[in-house]
């Protein structure tokens, strides 16, 4: 990576959230261009449809057929030749010549004074281009129907061949994170397997002398390592392969060994803890030897300190590629916020996805919120609905960066922009729903 005096990777003064995001996006783009990623054709694999959910499509999926394959009825009703509507009579009566069912087409042909009973999805019989829905017709016997001419125009209630999708047109474009509807769409085209990017390998570790594993007793001053489990959950949402490197002590040799091990195996390493003032210095030293990492102070709350960059390939190891590195802060809420704001998009981008930004929406704040301009804030909140049906949002209690319960109770972030000041009750605010994301 080239360094220039204005390379934000080297900035240590306060960085705008958008600058941090742009620097991450650019570095990931460089990695993709170097080919050290899932973009390489060696990194494409074929999966059957039942295994394809949440995988990232690697090639445009071209439709092998027209959809629908032939003109068919959009309604239950009666099919006829629409030229019979060219008359001055206000009522039209047609005799019923037979029935066309979905999967059982009518083979014969009919005259202009005739119609066919037809079901939704049945092929349009020869000579018919229009369908009158059943409920617009009356019939005194089972041999003919009568309807008012003004109720429809010629050609209505018919689905045309290729109307949904034409042969050789992309049904799903490369870079899509595959959703249930995409699997259904592929199946409707008769496609049984898809080309997808291989899963990213993401290593995680927690650093801190105070951290204990879940099966250990808590001695005075120690706490359970919760960050690794939040990260496991967040990473599972993104469908990556997780390499759990456990807890690492605040000791230069242990940390160095852990970073080297992770870089030898993973596309991405995410650590938490050890990047705040006081601790950052010795982490910095190690990372300087192993790669090119910036220590950022981001103008955001929570989540101010964060390290980001690359670890160089380790000589004689199986992974010849650079490893993307995120050193997240230790506070449990800050871990989730920085993951949401920075890591998620980077993993999607590196994994081959084109749509990487999480969706935002807006709601009305139920209360006033204090906010200083000059930093982006991510407050935990619950989205609800007012009596008039408008979306409303209220904060979940104490907003400290270590209070994971505020995150667990919440169903969204209220995101207050860098330049925004205090919020009054009744103001609209940006929100990001957790569902599907966090
Ligand atoms: P640090 O960034 O290492 O100074 O950590 C900031 C705060 O987060 C401290 O109170 C740590 O005890 C806490 N912390 C760090 N890592 C974890 C972890 N894996 N699980 C829970 N809390 C953590
Ligand atoms: Mg620490």
């Amino acid at each position: 990576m080239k360094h220039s005096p204005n390379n934000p990777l080297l900035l240590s003064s306060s960085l705008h959230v958008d600058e941090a995001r742009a620097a991450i996006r650019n570095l990931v783009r460089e990695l993709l261009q170097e080919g050290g990623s899932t973009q390489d054709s060696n990194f494409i694999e074929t999966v059957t449809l039942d295994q394809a959910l949440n995988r990232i499509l690697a090639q445009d999926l071209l439709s092998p057929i027209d959809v629908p394959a032939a003109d068919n009825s959009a309604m239950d009703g009666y099919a006829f030749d629409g030229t019979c509507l060219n008359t001055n009579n206000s009522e039209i009566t047609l005799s019923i010549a037979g029935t066309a069912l979905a999967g059982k087409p009518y083979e014969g042909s009919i005259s202009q004074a005739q119609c066919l009973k037809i079901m939704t999805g049945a092929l349009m019989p020869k000579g018919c281009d229009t369908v009158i829905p059943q409920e617009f017709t009356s019939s005194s016997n089972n041999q003919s129907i009568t309807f008012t001419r003004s109720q429809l125009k010629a050609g209505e209630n018919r689905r045309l061949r290729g109307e949904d999708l034409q042969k050789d047109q992309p049904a799903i474009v490369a870079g899509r994170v595959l959703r249930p509807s995409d699997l259904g769409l592929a199946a409707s085209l008769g496609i049984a397997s898809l080309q997808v990017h291989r899963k990213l390998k993401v290593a995680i570790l927690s650093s801190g002398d105070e951290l204990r594993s879940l099966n250990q007793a808590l001695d005075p001053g120690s706490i359970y390592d919760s960050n690794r489990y939040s990260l496991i959950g967040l990473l599972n949402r993104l469908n990556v392969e997780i390499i759990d490197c456990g807890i690492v002590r605040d000791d230069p040799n242990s940390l160095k060994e852990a970073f080297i091990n992770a870089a030898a195996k993973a596309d991405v390493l995410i650590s938490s803890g050890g990047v705040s003032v006081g601790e950052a210095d010795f982490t910095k030293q190690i990372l300087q030897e192993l790669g090119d990492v910036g220590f950022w102070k981001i103008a955001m709350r929570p989540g101010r300190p964060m390290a980001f960059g690359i670890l160089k390939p380790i000589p004689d190891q199986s992974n010849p590629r650079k490893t993307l590195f995120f050193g997240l802060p230790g506070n449990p809420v800050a871990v989730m916020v920085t993951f949401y704001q920075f890591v998620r998009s980077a993993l999607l981008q590196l994994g081959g996805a084109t749509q990487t930004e999480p969706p935002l929406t807006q709601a009305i704040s139920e209360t006033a919120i204090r906010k200083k301009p000059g930093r982006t804030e991510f407050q935990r909140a619950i989205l609800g609905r007012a009596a008039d049906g408008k979306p409303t949002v209220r904060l979940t209690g104490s907003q400290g960066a270590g209070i994971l319960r505020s995150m667990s109770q919440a169903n969204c972030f209220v995101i207050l922009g860098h330049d925004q000041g205090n919020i009054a009750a009744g103001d609209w605010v940006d929100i990001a729903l957790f569902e599907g994301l966090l």
Side-chain angles (χ1 to χ4, degrees):
M1 192 175 18
K2 291 176 291 296
H3 278 176
S4 62
N6 54 8
N7 183 343
L9 274 178
L10 292 180
L11 284 183
S12 57
S13 60
S14 203
L15 203 60
H16 192 299
V17 163
D18 291 344
E19 289 178 276
R21 290 167 64 79
I24 294 170
R25 209 166 34 242
N26 290 339
L27 182 67
V28 173
R29 193 180 302 128
E30 275 179 38
L31 284 182
L32 289 172
Q33 280 161 0
E34 287 169 17
S37 73
T38 57
Q39 297 289 303
D40 196 303
S41 61
N42 291 332
F43 295 117
I44 290 173
E45 53 193 48
T46 304
V47 292
T48 53
L49 279 191
D50 55 337
Q51 299 299 313
L53 187 66
N54 291 331
R55 298 300 299 268
I56 300 172
L57 190 66
Q59 290 174 351
D60 285 356
L61 184 72
L62 301 182
S63 178
I65 52 173
D66 284 326
V67 182
D71 296 0
N72 66 76
S73 177
M75 293 288 213
D76 288 346
Y78 297 88
F80 59 93
D81 177 351
T83 53
C84 75
L85 300 170
N86 293 331
T87 169
N88 291 327
N89 300 339
S90 65
E91 299 255 288
I92 293 176
T93 297
L94 300 171
S95 67
I96 304 170
T99 305
L101 301 172
K104 200 161 176 229
Y106 182 80
E107 307 283 3
S109 52
I110 59 167
S111 73
Q112 268 209 21
Q114 292 182 312
C115 67
L116 290 166
K117 192 168 167 56
I118 195 163
M119 299 298 159
T120 306
L123 291 188
M124 287 301 282
K126 211 156 79 196
C128 298
D129 63 359
T130 308
V131 174
I132 177 89
Q134 164 93 42
E135 57 272 27
F136 291 171
T137 65
S138 60
S139 177
S140 51
N141 50 39
N142 279 333
Q143 275 141 41
S144 68
I145 53 155
T146 300
F147 58 91
T148 313
R149 176 170 56 87
S150 58
Q151 275 171 320
L152 84 169
K153 295 196 181 68
E156 281 189 352
N157 303 316
R158 167 188 54 162
R159 299 182 191 133
L160 293 174
R161 171 183 179 155
E163 176 181 287
D164 273 3
L165 193 60
Q166 284 170 7
K167 187 170 183 291
D168 296 329
Q169 293 297 304
I172 313 173
V173 292
R176 164 70 66 89
V177 181
L178 294 163
R179 299 178 306 198
S181 53
D182 298 318
L183 308 189
L185 180 57
S188 75
L189 305 177
I191 291 169
S193 59
L194 297 174
Q195 305 276 297
V196 297
H197 292 286
R198 75 159 168 82
K199 288 187 182 185
L200 286 180
K201 295 185 179 127
V202 181
I204 53 172
L205 63 84
S206 297
S207 79
D209 283 340
E210 76 281 26
L211 302 178
R212 297 289 176 271
S213 297
L214 301 184
N215 51 9
Q216 288 178 309
L218 282 187
D219 44 303
S222 65
I223 57 169
Y224 286 121
D225 169 15
S226 61
N227 288 345
R228 222 155 19 99
Y229 293 89
S230 306
L231 283 172
I232 287 172
L234 291 163
L235 290 169
N236 273 318
R237 287 263 202 233
L238 291 176
N239 205 18
V240 299
E241 196 181 314
I242 299 169
I243 304 170
D244 186 348
C245 299
I247 298 172
V248 181
R249 307 194 70 77
D250 286 323
D251 145 68
N253 290 332
S254 318
L255 261 184
K256 189 169 173 184
E257 195 186 318
F259 287 155
I260 288 174
N261 274 336
K265 290 186 276 203
D267 301 300
V268 184
L269 168 61
I270 304 170
S271 71
S272 71
V275 291
S276 51
V277 184
E279 284 189 309
D281 284 349
F282 82 87
T283 320
K284 248 184 215 170
Q285 238 170 28
I286 300 167
L287 287 166
Q288 237 147 32
E289 282 174 53
L290 298 179
D292 195 352
V293 174
F295 280 72
W296 291 347
K297 289 192 190 72
I298 306 172
M300 68 187 285
R301 192 153 115 165
R304 202 164 117 84
M306 192 176 103
F308 171 72
I310 50 117
L311 306 181
K312 288 184 272 208
I314 309 293
D316 304 328
Q317 292 285 349
S318 55
N319 180 6
R321 293 177 299 279
K322 291 175 182 168
T323 299
L324 194 66
F325 173 71
F326 288 92
L328 304 185
N331 272 317
V333 178
V335 165
M336 299 198 78
V337 169
T338 47
F339 186 97
Y340 162 79
Q341 188 59 336
F342 303 113
V343 184
R344 183 181 176 278
S345 301
L347 295 182
L348 285 167
Q349 187 188 353
L350 191 65
T354 41
Q355 174 60 46
T356 60
E357 298 309 305
L360 284 184
T361 181
Q362 287 206 318
I364 297 167
S365 181
E366 283 183 19
T367 60
I369 307 175
R370 287 163 63 92
K371 161 75 171 59
K372 270 196 215 153
R375 68 181 183 217
T376 306
E377 290 194 8
F378 300 82
Q379 308 231 6
R380 279 71 70 201
I382 297 171
L383 175 69
R385 238 172 213 279
D388 63 3
K390 292 210 176 99
T392 57
V393 70
R394 71 187 152 82
L395 302 185
T396 53
S398 174
Q399 296 284 322
I403 301 175
L404 204 47
R405 209 159 73 93
S406 74
M407 188 79 204
S408 175
Q409 286 172 337
N411 64 12
C412 66
F413 285 128
V414 167
I415 303 180
L416 303 174
H418 188 90
D419 298 323
Q420 215 161 355
N422 288 335
I423 303 295
D427 284 355
W428 286 87
V429 288
D430 279 346
I431 61 165
L433 271 172
F434 291 169
E435 190 52 43
L437 293 180
L438 297 179

